[in-house]
Amino acid sequence: MAAEADGPLKRLLVPILLPEKCYDQLFVQWDLLHVKLPQVFKILGAKSAEGLSLQSVMLELVALTGTMVYSITNNFPFSSWGEALFLMLQTITICFLVMHYRGQTVKGVAFLACYGLVLLVLLSPLTPLTVVTLLQASNVPAVVVGRLLQAATNYHNGHTGQLSAITVFLLFGGSLARIFTSIQETGDPLMAGTFVVSSLCNGLIAAQLLFYWNAKPPHKQKKAQ
């Protein structure tokens, strides 16, 4: 069944969004370690996080954390949630970089420490299953609000700043694929529904990237001496 689903999915994504090599790496080999690295490298190369909404990145981190904790708690196979772990590590790196390039490095370090503590508590027996389920259910509003915040930032700026096109398109394609795999591997409608909403929201940002493709951030004028 997985092979049958892979056929039409590949025909949809490869000519439109992804080179075949990227598709094979992402959906055949399940090598998800590099999905957000283009975004990380773009921020580091520009030494700027202009155009990225910190609130949007944090809400995405909440959604990824919910998926990961919920899956671990329910003993789902790693193949159904492993990408959430890799994306979480990359997303928290982006959170720190956004703070760092805004001159809030100390705040960024404190955020990393607090997040690690919260994650330990969520994965411990101290956290009731109802709380974990509620966290997973909150993924839908977190993804929607987060993506709408980024979309509003793009619209307000009239450009997408340092937003990485490669990362956005990979996330869009990845969320589409996870709809099929989550249904096949977990049968959990909550997981599948989360990826449906995620696909719609990622599609919105991808559409904005195409719309603002040639738009550039205005150069900041130097203050008169």
Side-chain angles (χ1 to χ4, degrees):
M1 184 179 292
E4 293 176 359
D6 179 74
L9 181 66
K10 186 171 184 178
R11 287 194 294 271
L12 172 65
L13 296 180
V14 170
I16 302 172
L17 294 176
L18 301 175
E20 186 169 2
K21 182 179 179 181
C22 291
Y23 178 92
D24 290 340
Q25 184 180 37
L26 190 62
F27 303 126
V28 178
Q29 302 173 22
W30 290 109
D31 182 5
L32 298 157
L33 182 61
H34 308 297
V35 170
K36 284 197 171 187
L37 286 184
Q39 182 64 79
V40 173
F41 291 147
K42 188 168 184 178
I43 294 173
L44 290 172
K47 295 183 179 179
S48 168
E50 183 181 5
L52 274 75
S53 167
L54 179 59
Q55 293 84 356
S56 175
V57 179
M58 285 187 170
L59 284 170
E60 185 177 358
L61 182 62
V62 170
L64 290 167
T65 303
T67 296
M68 186 176 67
V69 173
Y70 180 76
S71 300
I72 293 174
T73 302
N74 286 280
N75 296 313
F76 289 155
F78 183 77
S79 59
S80 70
W81 61 269
E83 82 282 357
L85 172 61
F86 297 122
L87 290 174
M88 178 272 289
L89 293 172
Q90 294 164 68
T91 302
I92 198 170
T93 300
I94 293 171
C95 281
F96 173 77
L97 289 174
V98 172
M99 294 182 190
H100 172 67
Y101 286 116
R102 289 183 179 179
Q104 302 172 337
T105 305
V106 174
K107 183 178 178 181
V109 172
F111 171 74
L112 293 178
C114 291
Y115 176 79
L117 181 61
V118 170
L119 187 59
L120 287 175
V121 172
L122 289 173
L123 290 172
S124 74
L126 298 174
T127 305
L129 180 59
T130 52
V131 174
V132 174
T133 303
L134 182 62
L135 181 61
Q136 171 66 13
S138 72
N139 280 6
V140 173
V143 168
V144 171
V145 174
R147 285 301 186 226
L148 289 179
L149 284 172
Q150 183 61 62
T153 298
N154 296 339
Y155 177 78
H156 175 76
N157 292 339
H159 60 79
T160 54
Q162 300 305 323
L163 206 60
S164 168
I166 297 174
T167 290
V168 169
F169 290 135
L170 284 176
L171 287 174
F172 179 44
S175 58
L176 284 175
R178 298 311 288 160
I179 297 173
F180 298 100
T181 56
S182 61
I183 292 173
Q184 293 166 3
E185 296 178 358
T186 71
D188 191 301
L190 189 56
M191 286 279 287
T194 299
F195 287 117
V196 169
V197 174
S198 179
S199 296
L200 292 173
C201 295
N202 285 328
L204 172 62
I205 303 300
Q208 282 190 315
L209 257 169
L210 293 174
F211 182 78
Y212 292 120
W213 191 263
N214 294 318
K216 302 296 182 184
H219 292 289
K220 294 182 180 179
Q221 295 181 351
K222 294 182 179 180
K223 295 181 179 180
Q225 297 292 330

